[in-house]
Amino acid sequence: MLAKRNESWGLFNPWRTVNDLHKEFLGLFDDLSEGLNRFRANYPKVNLTEGKKEFVIQMALPGYCHENVDIEVVSNFLRVSAERCQPELAEGERFLHLERSFGKIEEAIKLSTKIKSSQVKAKFTDGILTITMPKQETEKAKTIRITKSK
Amino acid sequence: MTVPKKVSEYIDFAPPADVIENHTGIKLVLDIPGANTEGLSGNVEEGELKLTADTNIIRCDKNVRYKRTFQISDQVDVENVKARLENGVLELTLPKHEHAKVHKVKIEG
């Protein structure tokens, strides 16, 4: 009777190690590794669209602070660098699984035309950085007449 | 400017997740950029936690949707799961049932 009770009250069985308990509790994540083989955990990183007058780029930067995001525009180049640090674990916490990446990322993109760097706008919502870059007007072709030489 | 539009079709992505354990339970942290609380849904059924998050991001003419399923032990107190979405990062707190928590016993003597 007592043994039975111990079995159903797993926690009170003195012969079980904490590790066993962890394993049982984390039946939760047994399937994770199997799941990982099925798909690569990810999300789209960059979307770039070109309109008639502007380029719009969307970058996924979840958990990044806008203070740690740098945007540079030169001629027809765009460079975005951002950094997010791995949050420190509180006392008693430990990682069981780690898929998210941390550290510095840099994205450099060459655009097909020059952009008006002074009018570039950026906003950051829900972990998506959206940069709108108006194009510089391209010079129109000039027709040059040849004057007849007398 | 791309106007975020709702498309009837979805393209599914499995977002990366971190799993952190502490004395009181489990913390799940997922990167789901572009998702907001309106499009977020989660339910627990037959020991599985299913998370879905819709976004307005367009990929291949379809809306990006995040989907991921986690197996949960019955030691998780499903009634008290808490979720927080901030800056594209979803943090789920799954507390253990009181009877599943490890209690330290001091030996006197």
Side-chain angles (χ1 to χ4, degrees), chain A residues 39-86:
Chain A
F39 51 71
R40 247 185 86 229
N42 66 349
Y43 48 81
K45 303 280 193 294
V46 177
N47 261 359
L48 175 66
T49 45
E50 184 180 357
K52 273 184 185 169
K53 290 184 175 174
E54 61 194 2
F55 293 101
V56 178
I57 185 163
Q58 288 180 309
M59 279 184 78
L61 297 170
Y64 289 78
C65 300
H66 67 272
E67 294 95 355
N68 296 336
V69 178
D70 280 321
I71 305 163
E72 277 177 26
V73 181
V74 183
S75 175
N76 58 337
F77 284 96
L78 168 78
R79 196 179 68 89
V80 180
S81 58
E83 190 170 12
R84 76 169 173 179
C85 298
Q86 191 161 3

Side-chain angles (χ1 to χ4, degrees), chain B residues 11-63:
Chain B
I11 179 165
D12 289 342
F13 282 86
D18 282 356
V19 184
I20 299 159
E21 189 197 24
N22 58 27
H23 298 307
T24 52
I26 293 282
K27 207 161 76 178
L28 281 175
V29 191
L30 291 105
D31 280 343
I32 47 169
N36 53 32
T37 42
E38 286 164 34
L40 188 69
S41 75
N43 60 57
V44 180
E45 221 176 308
E46 291 169 3
E48 281 190 335
L49 168 69
K50 284 181 184 170
L51 293 170
T52 315
D54 296 349
T55 69
N56 287 329
I57 308 167
I58 308 287
R59 210 11 75 123
C60 307
D61 286 331
K62 290 174 184 171
N63 268 111

Side-chain angles (χ1 to χ4, degrees), chain B residues 57-97:
Chain B
I57 308 167
I58 308 287
R59 210 11 75 123
C60 307
D61 286 331
K62 290 174 184 171
N63 268 111
V64 169
R65 179 169 64 184
Y66 300 110
K67 252 185 162 181
R68 190 129 187 204
T69 306
F70 297 91
Q71 288 239 303
I72 307 191
S73 140
D74 52 11
Q75 294 186 22
V76 168
D77 185 1
V78 179
E79 300 295 319
N80 289 309
V81 172
K82 279 180 191 149
R84 199 165 64 104
L85 180 62
E86 199 182 345
N87 229 349
V89 177
L90 175 69
E91 205 177 290
L92 283 170
T93 314
L94 305 133
K96 287 181 195 178
H97 276 300

